[in-house]
Amino acid sequence: MNPELAPLLVASHKTDFEVYHGRLYIDGQWREAGGGERVERLSPAHGELVSTYAVATPEDVDAAIDAAHRAFHHGPWPKMKGAERARVLLAIADGIQAQIERLALIESLENGKPLTQARAEVAGCADLWQYAASLARTTSGDAYNTLGEDMLGLVLRQPIGVVGIITPWNFPLWILCQKLPFAMAAGCTCVIKPSELTSGTTVMLMEILEKAGVPAGVANVVTGKGSRVGQPLAESPRVDMLSFTGSTHVGSMLAGVASKKLKKVALELGGKNPQIVFPDCDWDAMVDAVVFGVYFNAGECCNSGSRVLVHESIVERFAAAVIERAREVPVGDPLHPDAKVGAIVSEQQMNDILGHIETGVSAGAKVRLGGGRYASANGLYLQPTVLTDVTADMGVAREEIFGPVLSVIAFRDLDHAIEIANDTAYGLSAAVWSSDIDTCLKVARGVDAGTIWVNTFLDGYPELPFGGFKASGVGRELGKQAVEDYTETKTIQLHIGERKNLWLPAKK
Ligand code: NDP
């Protein structure tokens, strides 16, 4: 039986939103694309025009790379004191805070996520700039005073150069702010390519950077399709590092392209993140976190807790409890103040998710909740879905679905749970639910993932590094090393006093 879901929320009011027309931002100038072409973005929740963007030509991308190259090699930014860069980054944080409403509204309309959630994300972005500002002043190299009395060793950190940043549509501003402030704190210059579906907050952020006094060429934005606008960033020998968040497929392809130029690559990719549930856990907290973990951002989240591994003794009790909570999740118009889940980002994404569910059912999974689109809606709304009787070999247990679909898998004992958890290509995050500290620590040590949550899920702090094992990525963002990732080290060996240990005998 598939229980009835709460009715879709419909917003009672219209916003006074004006269609936004974004231009390219290159070398501190706003400009139309060379070919004059524009792309439109309709809101996935309402089908209404939200924004239009300039479609950059290869010449525009070249101009942006040129500007970043010039700003790095001849501009003031890389040579400025850390304290001066920090002041600019703090001014950007203030600028974001002053525009929370404007940024959140376009983020919500372009992506389909609830406006209340978008507001919280934008506020969190300001915090990321503040954290990066603190690192701009404190990131340092090393000194070795242990090499003997005639030698002092210095390890300097220098900005790596021009960074190409390519971002996806699921957390457009947040993901950009996991990268750009830290690259800028290091003294790098950047060329940014946002997703064609959600370019609004990235372009608007450049208005804030301009007002905060960021010198021309330090941050440049080129909008348009990835294959045309993003790929040149991986290919160009004048881009020193590529920082990408998105699908494992595109990420690995770009890493291949970038490796031919021997450039540094940082990749934050997909996940198939297990929450592992033991019978002795705090039941209500776990059920809430499972529902939150999979339906937050409509499951369009690399950290989505999309598979739950449950001890075989409690599978039925677990399924009943999760279904009961999941059917109450308020889905609907992202502008409705009560909506916790909004629209799916695009028709293509909707079809991909439905395709995954279909494949799961053909393989023997049972749809116990949802499983389809909301019939009455204009927008792209998908029902919170629970699949049970999933086995570890099925596609729905192994592949990233990127939608509101939970797969429930039974395990026999702790070792079996760890074995299933590790039996995917991914390794981004995981959670363990138990009141036994030994169980928690064994799982935390045994599961291959960049983040392990213990009796909680999806918490995040700028201070803590984030990234994945295996096919979930390369490198870490955030944490106190966040700025170091955008630097090269240079070793300086300083000889002190007369150099006595000559290679050839001294001249008589
Ligand atoms: P993509 O990996 O295709 O897109 C991510 C970014 O890469 C976008 O800016 C995109 O541009 C750009 N891009 C695409 N192709 C190229 C290319 N050849 N060269 C350079 N840049 C390129 O992800 P999608 O947005 O299409 O989502 C597909 C799937 O990826 C999802 O279903 C999900 O499984 C996964 N995903 C994972 C994310 C994560 O956070 N780890 C985020 C988003 C998606 P554009 O789209 O404008 O063409």
Side-chain angles (χ1 to χ4, degrees):
M1 199 191 70
N2 192 338
E4 214 175 295
L5 290 153
L8 203 67
L9 296 173
V10 181
S12 55
H13 65 287
K14 282 261 167 204
T15 57
D16 50 4
F17 181 80
E18 262 181 48
V19 174
Y20 180 70
H21 299 287
R23 287 177 291 168
L24 309 179
Y25 186 64
I26 298 174
D27 208 10
Q29 307 287 320
W30 294 97
R31 38 166 128 161
E32 289 300 332
E37 201 184 328
R38 293 206 140 252
V39 63
E40 291 185 341
R41 175 64 177 151
L42 306 185
S43 113
H46 319 93
E48 288 178 18
L49 183 65
V50 180
S51 46
T52 72
Y53 296 99
V55 179
T57 61
E59 293 72 31
D60 294 325
V61 180
D62 245 13
I65 295 173
D66 267 352
H69 200 258
R70 244 187 341 269
F72 185 74
H73 291 282
H74 307 292
W77 188 254
K79 299 184 196 80
M80 272 162 72
K81 289 180 185 165
E84 288 173 47
R85 280 202 291 268
R87 271 191 281 280
V88 176
L89 302 188
L90 289 173
I92 295 167
D94 291 346
I96 292 172
Q97 256 156 356
Q99 293 207 29
I100 288 181
E101 271 315 302
R102 179 174 178 245
L103 293 163
L105 184 56
I106 196 161
E107 195 84 320
S108 166
L109 291 174
E110 289 189 340
N111 169 277
K113 67 176 70 201
L115 180 57
T116 50
Q117 180 192 318
R119 282 191 192 113
E121 282 173 27
V122 175
C125 289
D127 190 41
L128 290 172
W129 284 88
Q130 284 168 354
Y131 181 60
S134 73
L135 296 180
R137 300 189 71 152
T138 53
T139 297
S140 66
D142 251 328
Y144 287 83
N145 199 25
T146 51
L147 307 174
E149 60 180 357
D150 58 356
M151 180 57 67
L152 178 65
L154 297 179
V155 184
L156 304 190
R157 288 205 169 267
Q158 296 190 179
I160 196 165
V162 175
V163 181
I165 296 179
I166 300 179
T167 55
W169 44 257
N170 55 340
F171 295 93
L173 187 63
W174 180 269
I175 288 173
L176 177 59
C177 295
Q178 290 197 158
K179 302 175 188 297
L180 181 63
F182 301 94
M184 284 176 58
C188 293
T189 62
C190 303
V191 179
I192 303 151
K193 205 303 278 180
S195 162
E196 198 184 35
L197 301 178
T198 55
S199 302
T201 46
T202 301
V203 178
M204 286 178 177
L205 183 66
M206 295 304 111
E207 298 170 9
I208 294 172
L209 263 63
E210 194 178 27
K211 275 205 192 110
V214 174
V218 170
N220 306 272
V221 171
V222 280
T223 43
K225 267 240 151 301
S227 49
R228 199 163 117 176
V229 179
Q231 195 145 343
L233 298 180
E235 285 168 355
S236 171
R238 289 176 306 150
V239 173
D240 303 286
M241 175 176 171
L242 183 72
S243 178
F244 172 88
T245 297
S247 64
T248 296
H249 169 70
V250 173
S252 62
M253 187 275 289
L254 289 178
V257 172
S259 74
K260 293 214 175 80
K261 308 288 176 194
L262 299 175
K263 73 178 61 168
K264 185 172 177 181
V265 175
L267 302 171
E268 202 273 282
L269 308 172
K272 188 72 186 175
N273 315 294
Q275 295 217 53
I276 304 177
V277 176
F278 289 86
D280 63 349
C281 69
D282 175 342
W283 190 259
D284 292 342
M286 175 276 293
V287 171
D288 181 74
V290 166
V291 171
F292 166 57
V294 68
Y295 301 125
F296 171 70
N297 214 49
E300 295 168 334
C301 182
C302 53
N303 263 330
S304 171
S306 54
R307 57 184 177 132
V308 176
L309 316 187
V310 186
H311 189 261
E312 59 188 6
S313 65
I314 53 165
V315 171
E316 255 324 298
R317 182 180 168 219
F318 171 86
V322 164
I323 288 166
E324 192 49 38
R325 287 300 273 163
R327 36 186 298 273
E328 295 163 1
V329 171
V331 182
D333 192 323
L335 302 178
H336 194 292
D338 295 337
K340 292 269 190 203
V341 175
I344 298 299
V345 74
S346 65
E347 193 74 48
Q348 184 190 325
Q349 187 64 20
M350 172 70 90
N351 291 334
D352 284 355
I353 300 167
L354 292 171
H356 278 289
I357 297 173
E358 222 174 278
T359 312
V361 171
S362 315
K366 290 204 178 85
V367 178
R368 296 278 297 274
L369 184 72
R373 284 175 83 147
Y374 281 90
S376 59
N378 299 324
L380 301 171
Y381 297 101
L382 192 53
Q383 298 165 341
T385 297
V386 176
L387 302 178
T388 62
D389 298 62
V390 175
T391 50
D393 56 328
M394 292 182 191
V396 286
R398 312 174 74 80
E399 289 157 20
E400 185 175 51
I401 298 178
F402 232 59
V405 182
L406 180 69
S407 296
V408 180
I409 304 163
F411 68 82
R412 289 188 304 277
D413 53 28
L414 189 144
D415 288 340
H416 189 215
I418 293 175
E419 187 189 317
I420 301 173
N422 287 339
D423 187 19
T424 69
Y426 297 109
L428 190 58
S429 60
V432 52
W433 290 89
S434 167
S435 56
D436 182 326
I437 187 70
D438 293 341
T439 302
C440 293
L441 288 176
K442 280 180 188 162
V443 170
R445 282 188 166 170
V447 174
D448 299 331
T451 297
I452 310 278
W453 285 288
V454 177
N455 295 321
T456 186
F457 199 67
L458 277 187
D459 299 307
Y461 302 87
E463 289 83 352
L464 299 180
F466 171 63
F469 283 36
K470 304 193 286 187
S472 289
V474 175
R476 295 289 179 271
E477 296 186 321
L478 308 180
K480 66 181 173 199
Q481 275 88 26
V483 172
E484 291 179 6
D485 285 345
Y486 295 98
T487 63
E488 277 282 19
T489 59
K490 181 180 282 176
T491 300
I492 300 185
Q493 301 185 21
L494 284 161
H495 190 270
I496 301 164
E498 189 188 348
R499 185 169 177 268
K500 291 182 187 144
N501 195 11
L502 300 179
W503 190 50
L504 296 177
K507 274 194 174 170
K508 297 263 161 59

